[in-house]
Coordinates of all heavy atoms in Angstrom, one line a residue:
Q1 N 0.8 -1.2 0.0 CA 0.0 0.0 0.0 C 0.8 1.3 0.0 O 0.4 2.4 0.4 CB -1.0 0.0 1.2 CG -2.0 -1.2 1.2 CD -2.8 -1.2 -0.1 OE1 -3.4 -0.3 -0.5 NE2 -2.8 -2.4 -0.7
V2 N 2.1 1.2 -0.5 CA 2.9 2.4 -0.7 C 2.8 2.7 -2.1 O 3.5 2.3 -3.0 CB 4.4 2.1 -0.3 CG1 5.2 3.4 -0.4 CG2 4.4 1.6 1.2
M3 N 1.8 3.5 -2.5 CA 1.4 3.8 -3.9 C 2.1 5.0 -4.4 O 2.4 5.1 -5.6 CB -0.1 3.9 -4.0 CG -0.9 2.9 -3.2 SD -0.8 1.3 -4.0 CE -1.9 1.6 -5.4
T4 N 2.3 6.0 -3.6 CA 2.8 7.3 -4.1 C 4.1 7.7 -3.4 O 4.4 7.1 -2.4 CB 1.8 8.4 -3.7 OG1 1.6 8.6 -2.3 CG2 0.4 8.1 -4.4
L5 N 4.7 8.7 -3.9 CA 6.0 9.2 -3.2 C 5.7 9.7 -1.9 O 6.5 9.7 -0.9 CB 6.6 10.3 -4.1 CG 7.2 9.8 -5.4 CD1 7.7 10.9 -6.3 CD2 8.3 8.8 -5.2
G6 N 4.5 10.3 -1.7 CA 4.0 10.8 -0.3 C 4.0 9.6 0.7 O 4.3 9.8 1.9
D7 N 3.4 8.5 0.2 CA 3.3 7.3 1.1 C 4.7 6.8 1.5 O 5.0 6.5 2.6 CB 2.6 6.1 0.3 CG 1.2 6.4 0.0 OD1 0.6 7.2 0.7 OD2 0.7 5.8 -0.9
L8 N 5.7 6.8 0.5 CA 7.0 6.4 0.8 C 7.7 7.4 1.7 O 8.4 7.0 2.6 CB 7.8 6.3 -0.5 CG 9.3 5.9 -0.4 CD1 9.5 4.6 0.3 CD2 10.0 5.9 -1.8
A9 N 7.4 8.7 1.5 CA 8.0 9.7 2.4 C 7.6 9.6 3.8 O 8.4 10.0 4.7 CB 7.7 11.1 1.8
G10 N 6.5 9.0 4.1 CA 6.0 8.8 5.4 C 6.4 7.6 6.2 O 6.1 7.4 7.4
L11 N 7.3 6.8 5.5 CA 7.7 5.5 6.2 C 8.8 5.8 7.2 O 9.6 6.7 7.1 CB 8.3 4.5 5.1 CG 7.3 4.0 4.1 CD1 8.0 3.0 3.2 CD2 6.1 3.4 4.7
S12 N 8.8 5.0 8.2 CA 9.9 5.1 9.2 C 11.2 4.5 8.7 O 11.0 3.6 7.7 CB 9.5 4.3 10.5 OG 9.4 2.9 10.2
P13 N 12.3 4.8 9.2 CA 13.5 4.1 8.7 C 13.5 2.6 8.7 O 14.0 2.0 7.8 CB 14.7 4.8 9.6 CG 14.1 6.1 10.0 CD 12.6 5.8 10.2
E14 N 12.9 2.1 9.8 CA 12.9 0.7 9.9 C 12.0 0.0 8.9 O 12.4 -1.0 8.3 CB 12.4 0.3 11.3 CG 13.2 0.7 12.5 CD 13.2 2.3 12.8 OE1 12.2 2.9 12.3 OE2 14.2 2.7 13.4
R15 N 10.8 0.6 8.6 CA 9.9 0.1 7.6 C 10.6 0.3 6.2 O 10.4 -0.7 5.5 CB 8.6 0.9 7.7 CG 7.6 0.4 6.7 CD 7.1 -1.0 7.1 NE 6.1 -1.5 6.2 CZ 5.8 -2.7 5.9 NH1 6.6 -3.7 6.4 NH2 4.7 -3.1 5.2
A16 N 11.3 1.4 6.0 CA 11.9 1.5 4.7 C 13.0 0.5 4.4 O 13.1 -0.1 3.3 CB 12.5 2.9 4.6
K17 N 13.8 0.1 5.5 CA 14.8 -0.9 5.3 C 14.2 -2.2 5.0 O 14.7 -3.0 4.3 CB 15.7 -0.9 6.6 CG 16.6 0.3 6.7 CD 17.5 0.1 8.0 CE 18.5 1.2 8.1 NZ 19.3 1.1 9.3
A18 N 13.0 -2.5 5.7 CA 12.4 -3.8 5.6 C 11.9 -3.9 4.1 O 12.0 -5.1 3.5 CB 11.2 -3.9 6.5
L19 N 11.5 -2.9 3.5 CA 10.9 -2.9 2.1 C 12.0 -2.8 1.0 O 11.9 -3.4 0.0 CB 9.8 -1.9 1.9 CG 8.5 -2.1 2.8 CD1 7.6 -0.9 2.6 CD2 7.8 -3.4 2.3
L20 N 13.0 -2.0 1.3 CA 14.0 -1.6 0.3 C 15.4 -1.8 0.6 O 16.3 -1.5 -0.1 CB 13.8 -0.1 0.0 CG 12.4 0.3 -0.6 CD1 12.3 1.8 -0.7 CD2 12.3 -0.3 -2.0
G21 N 15.6 -2.5 1.7 CA 17.0 -2.8 2.1 C 17.7 -1.7 2.7 O 17.1 -0.6 3.2
S22 N 19.0 -1.7 2.7 CA 19.8 -0.7 3.4 C 19.6 0.7 2.8 O 19.9 1.7 3.5 CB 21.3 -1.1 3.4 OG 21.8 -1.2 2.1
R23 N 19.3 0.8 1.6 CA 19.1 2.1 1.0 C 17.7 2.7 1.1 O 17.5 3.8 0.7 CB 19.4 2.0 -0.6 CG 20.8 1.6 -0.9 CD 21.0 1.6 -2.5 NE 20.7 2.9 -3.1 CZ 20.5 3.1 -4.4 NH1 20.5 2.0 -5.2 NH2 20.3 4.3 -4.9
G24 N 16.9 2.0 1.9 CA 15.6 2.4 2.2 C 15.4 3.8 2.7 O 14.7 4.6 2.1

C-alpha cells in the first residue's frame, strides 16, 4: 500500500529498510 511518493516519504527508517534494504 505504498502507492505514491508521499506514502514512501512517510515511512519510518525501519519500515523503509524492511521494504527496500539498506538504501531504504
Side-chain angles (χ1 to χ4, degrees):
Q1 300 304 306
V2 181
M3 316 286 287
T4 66
L5 291 176
D7 294 336
L8 179 58
L11 296 183
S12 67
E14 296 73 22
R15 184 64 174 151
K17 285 183 180 180
L19 292 174
L20 296 169
S22 60
R23 296 181 61 195

